[in-house]
Amino acid sequence: MDDLIDDDSTRGRNDGEYTVSEISGAVKRTLEGEFGRIRVRGEVGRMFRARSGHLYYDIKDDRNVLACTTWKGQLAQLSVQPEEGMEVIVTGRLSAFGAQSKYNLNVEQVEIAGAGALMAMLEKRRTALAAEGLFAAERKRPLPFLPEVIGVVTSPQGAVIRDILHRLRDRFPRRVLIWPVAVQGKASAPEVANAIRGFDALKPGGAMPRPDLLIVARGGGSIEDLWGFNEEVVVRAAADCTIPLISAVGHETDTTLIDHAADRRAPTPSAAAEMAVPVRLDLLAAVDALGVRAARAARAAVQGRRQRATDLVRALPRPEALLAAPRQRLDLAADRLPAALRNRTARERVALSRLEGRITPGALASGLAERRRRLQALSARLDARLPQRIATSRRDLDRAVARLTPAPLARRAARDRERLDATLARLLSVARNRQARAADRLAALDRLRQTLGHQETLARGFAIVWEDGRVVTSAKTARKAAALEIEFADGRVQTGGKSAPKRKPKPDDEPDQGSLL
């Protein structure tokens, strides 16, 4: 170090002077020289991952803490990713950071050395409480769909309570009661347990409303910071609480014993608020959708009944059909009425004459004569006016029928004629199309027949062996034959070499095409 001492300024003195940078550099060189690459065993404590991707954490024992750093490029090379509470053996290089007068270990390798003391204690406590049934699934209570009052156990300062209130205000505003507690340190566990029991002790209808739901919330931190929520008093208070409880302690990767005892666990305080209440706009949209469905169902019902009424109206007979039979009966009655009246008058006249012959007194004779004259007068009047009345009634009926039937019948006949013409046109079009398709299919089948036929098969290089007009289909038959004839596409050849004139085979000589194909 003599080169760092100014001889002129320090002459006559025993100690030298350093600049801050010089002493920091000297310390750094000494650390890096004396402790180059070292291995350190300890428990992983507080961890922090920077936005740049670098990982900062502590390695500690029961008395001291060593700051460690693993750069972003070194994380991918680690065989084990460090986790809080894990007992590890780290390997790296010790260095100093002069800007803050700190030294740390740049870790290049991490090995598991065993569970940490806190983690071992936590696991032992979890096993004991689970054996008592405090974490059993049947103890879990369902959360209310829309609580009127929500109790929150957390610190009144910090971002946790603001996040919960903000999320509740956005989703569905509810009344919130806050029980302030310490969420870290020795006072955390008893205060949280007393808050849970205090909310549970409230009576319905009292001066202080009883919450319908509880949220125990805290932000993220190290295992030491969250240790208060692992205490047995807090776990038992959560398990004994009769109000549904949501645990929202730490971040998603943090797990405490109150999470097992609570009815629901939320990964974050904001997620706990989302579990507590539904989205008001979603409920309004669902109600609107139900209203639309109800209106649509009502319209469909009315439409169905209207269609049913229309169908029933179509089933009723036409007015012409209703009037046809009465019109015929009226015509027949009108034709028979004059003759019937004349016959009835004649019969009555004969009966009167018979009575007249029987009655001889003068008074009766004169009275009878008077009545005969009156009857004859009435008969004459009736004979004169009845045909005129019948003719008038017939004319009125004909005019009514004319007004009722001719035009609708003409229009109906025109419509029927148009439908008949359209139907005939469609039938002709369908017949022509079917005939064309059948002709095309027949032509295709004929082309296929020609392609697979006898002559086309010979043209592709095949041949037929004949013996006395029969087709030879095996070598055994060919060996026994005295003479063979081979037919090609352009003619026949004798086995002796003579060519036979080309002839078209007879229908009964048609070869078995299955054997050729």
Side-chain angles (χ1 to χ4, degrees), residues 43-347:
E43 181 182 339
V44 179
R46 184 189 303 269
M47 297 183 63
F48 172 72
R49 187 183 296 270
R51 294 184 178 180
S52 59
H54 306 320
L55 183 63
Y56 300 93
Y57 53 99
D58 296 336
I59 299 296
K60 61 184 180 179
D61 55 16
D62 55 347
R63 291 180 295 177
N64 295 289
V65 176
L66 174 62
C68 298
T69 304
T70 301
W71 308 121
K72 179 180 180 181
Q74 297 172 326
L75 285 174
Q77 303 175 2
L78 297 181
S79 58
V80 176
Q81 296 293 326
E83 296 180 5
E84 192 169 341
M86 182 186 297
E87 188 173 354
V88 296
I89 299 176
V90 296
T91 302
R93 299 181 182 276
L94 197 63
S95 180
F97 184 48
Q100 295 182 357
S101 297
K102 294 181 179 180
Y103 67 94
N104 66 346
L105 180 67
N106 177 231
V107 177
E108 302 173 354
Q109 184 178 355
V110 178
E111 304 173 15
I112 297 177
L118 288 178
M119 296 301 295
M121 183 187 304
L122 180 63
E123 181 61 22
K124 181 179 179 181
R125 183 176 298 171
R126 188 194 68 80
T127 304
L129 294 175
E132 296 182 22
L134 299 183
F135 305 155
E138 55 268 20
R139 295 175 61 94
K140 310 296 183 182
R141 291 173 294 272
L143 303 183
F145 177 75
L146 187 59
E148 291 292 334
V149 181
I150 300 175
V152 180
V153 179
T154 188
S155 173
Q157 293 85 21
V160 172
I161 187 61
R162 291 197 298 271
D163 291 343
I164 293 176
L165 296 177
H166 176 71
R167 185 62 65 185
L168 291 176
R169 184 169 56 251
D170 288 346
R171 292 175 66 87
F172 206 123
R174 297 282 86 186
R175 187 176 183 182
V176 178
L177 298 179
I178 302 175
W179 194 303
V181 296
V183 295
Q184 184 175 338
K186 294 182 179 181
S188 174
E191 290 186 9
V192 171
N194 291 335
I196 295 174
R197 291 194 175 95
F199 273 132
D200 193 35
L202 294 176
K203 301 298 182 182
M208 181 69 67
R210 177 183 172 87
D212 301 315
L213 179 68
L214 292 184
I215 299 176
V216 179
R218 188 206 187 281
S222 64
I223 189 172
E224 293 86 358
D225 297 337
L226 304 179
W227 191 256
F229 298 90
N230 292 321
E231 295 293 344
E232 184 175 349
V233 62
V234 175
V235 176
R236 293 189 180 278
D240 296 336
C241 182
T242 59
I243 302 175
L245 187 144
I246 299 176
S247 172
V249 178
H251 295 306
E252 187 170 2
T253 57
D254 299 325
T255 302
T256 57
L257 294 183
I258 193 176
D259 295 337
H260 300 287
D263 298 301
R264 289 286 294 276
R265 177 187 181 271
T268 61
S270 299
E274 294 176 359
M275 292 180 183
V277 294
V279 180
R280 184 173 181 270
L281 295 179
D282 291 346
L283 296 180
L284 292 176
V287 172
D288 293 340
L290 292 176
V292 171
R293 289 178 59 188
R296 188 183 300 115
R299 288 195 298 270
V302 173
Q303 184 64 28
R305 286 168 173 79
R306 183 182 293 114
Q307 184 63 37
R308 177 62 176 167
T310 303
D311 296 340
L312 293 175
V313 168
R314 291 174 181 173
L316 293 176
R318 298 186 305 274
E320 304 89 278
L322 292 175
L323 293 176
R327 186 187 301 120
Q328 293 178 359
R329 290 195 299 269
L330 180 59
D331 291 340
L332 293 176
D335 292 339
R336 293 197 302 263
L337 185 58
L341 289 176
R342 286 192 295 269
N343 293 335
R344 180 65 179 270
T345 302
R347 288 195 302 270

Side-chain angles (χ1 to χ4, degrees), residues 452-454 457 460 462-464 471 473 510-517:
L452 302 178
H454 171 65
T457 303
R460 290 196 293 271
F462 292 90
I464 303 175
V471 177
T473 59
E510 194 71 29
D512 185 4
Q513 295 185 13
S515 63
L516 295 177
L517 300 179

